[in-house]
Amino acid sequence: GAGVSQSPRYKVAKRGQDVALRCDPISGHVSLFWYQQALGQGPEFLTYFQNEAQLDKSGLPSDRFFAERPEGSVSTLKIQRTQQEDSAVYLCASSSQGGGNQPQHFGDGTRLSIL
Amino acid sequence: GENVEQHPSTLSVQEGDSAVIKCTYSDSASNYFPWYKQELGKGPQLIIDIRSNVGEKKDQRIAVTLNKTAKHFSLHITETQPEDSAVYFCAAVAGGTSYGKLTFGQGTILTVHP
């Protein structure tokens, strides 16, 4: 596709359930980012992949959060034992190269609601 | 780490007027400053960016200025139209990261009245 695709667009889960969020970056993009956006706030960095390597996971809130990109393309963000504070929009972005001044293109996000 | 402050939090203008949004950053080594427009239910859309070796950049009705000494940058939208109404975010890439980790401002809700 032409842009970053995320699925599902909406996810409702009960507290304690595990969820998996998918990101399809722009084809050929080396860099992939996950951000978390709380209501009324700017996105906050979670983790970064360069190809299949996870080079920075400093923004992951807890060890319940796990991300992978095994083949350097599609990425999955998994949240185990979800809590109400995990409710947010999870955004994925990709950029063509690994440099620090390359434009990042965002998907429309997955809105996660934990009941 | 990097800290980005953005103001105003809300901005209301009449169609045809100009709108200015300002951001400050804390890391003097920051070198890349994108601006994003986010509509309801959508992801942030890159509208313009500027790198630290440039003081100003313009694209049709949108311009961005950067003052490295003062560590602030601004978005200027001229001849505003109702479809410009959205939330706008500034962001900065901290100089210490080589791969582009973005720190965002808190956002500005821009409303353009017809």
Side-chain angles (χ1 to χ4, degrees), chain A residues 15-54:
Chain A
R15 187 176 58 182
Q17 290 183 329
D18 298 347
V19 298
L21 313 179
R22 177 187 170 105
C23 172
D24 282 86
I26 294 172
S27 179
H29 275 198
V30 168
S31 295
L32 186 146
F33 302 80
W34 284 97
Y35 294 86
Q36 181 190 59
Q37 186 173 26
L39 190 64
Q41 302 293 318
E44 293 190 354
F45 171 82
L46 293 177
T47 188
Y48 165 70
F49 290 86
Q50 185 173 96
N51 296 308
E52 70 279 3
Q54 188 175 21

Side-chain angles (χ1 to χ4, degrees), chain A residues 34-92:
Chain A
W34 284 97
Y35 294 86
Q36 181 190 59
Q37 186 173 26
L39 190 64
Q41 302 293 318
E44 293 190 354
F45 171 82
L46 293 177
T47 188
Y48 165 70
F49 290 86
Q50 185 173 96
N51 296 308
E52 70 279 3
Q54 188 175 21
L55 299 186
D56 188 342
K57 53 182 181 180
S58 63
L60 296 177
S62 75
D63 58 7
R64 296 185 296 103
F65 287 70
F66 172 77
E68 60 183 4
R69 194 186 185 197
E71 297 179 356
S73 177
V74 171
S75 178
T76 304
L77 176 67
K78 298 178 180 178
I79 309 173
Q80 298 176 324
R81 305 180 304 280
T82 52
Q83 304 294 316
Q84 284 192 324
E85 60 262 30
D86 300 335
S87 296
V89 175
Y90 290 86
L91 295 164
C92 176

Side-chain angles (χ1 to χ4, degrees), chain B residues 18-38:
Chain B
S18 294
V20 180
I21 303 170
K22 299 183 179 182
C23 290
T24 60
Y25 60 97
S26 61
D27 186 346
S28 57
S30 290
N31 55 18
Y32 176 64
F33 308 91
W35 286 88
Y36 287 87
K37 174 184 180 182
Q38 188 172 29

Side-chain angles (χ1 to χ4, degrees), chain A residues 9 31 33 35 37 40-43 45 48 56 58 91 98-108, chain B residues 31-32 36 38 41-46 49 51 89 93 97-107:
Chain A
R9 287 297 320 277
S31 295
F33 302 80
Y35 294 86
Q37 186 173 26
Q41 302 293 318
F45 171 82
Y48 165 70
D56 188 342
S58 63
L91 295 164
N101 61 359
Q102 299 302 309
Q104 292 182 32
H105 303 279
F106 283 80
D108 286 337
Chain B
N31 55 18
Y32 176 64
Y36 287 87
Q38 188 172 29
K42 299 286 189 180
Q45 175 191 6
L46 179 68
D49 57 10
R51 294 173 175 80
F89 290 98
V93 171
T97 62
S98 61
Y99 54 83
K101 172 182 174 180
L102 290 174
T103 299
F104 284 83
Q106 299 88 342

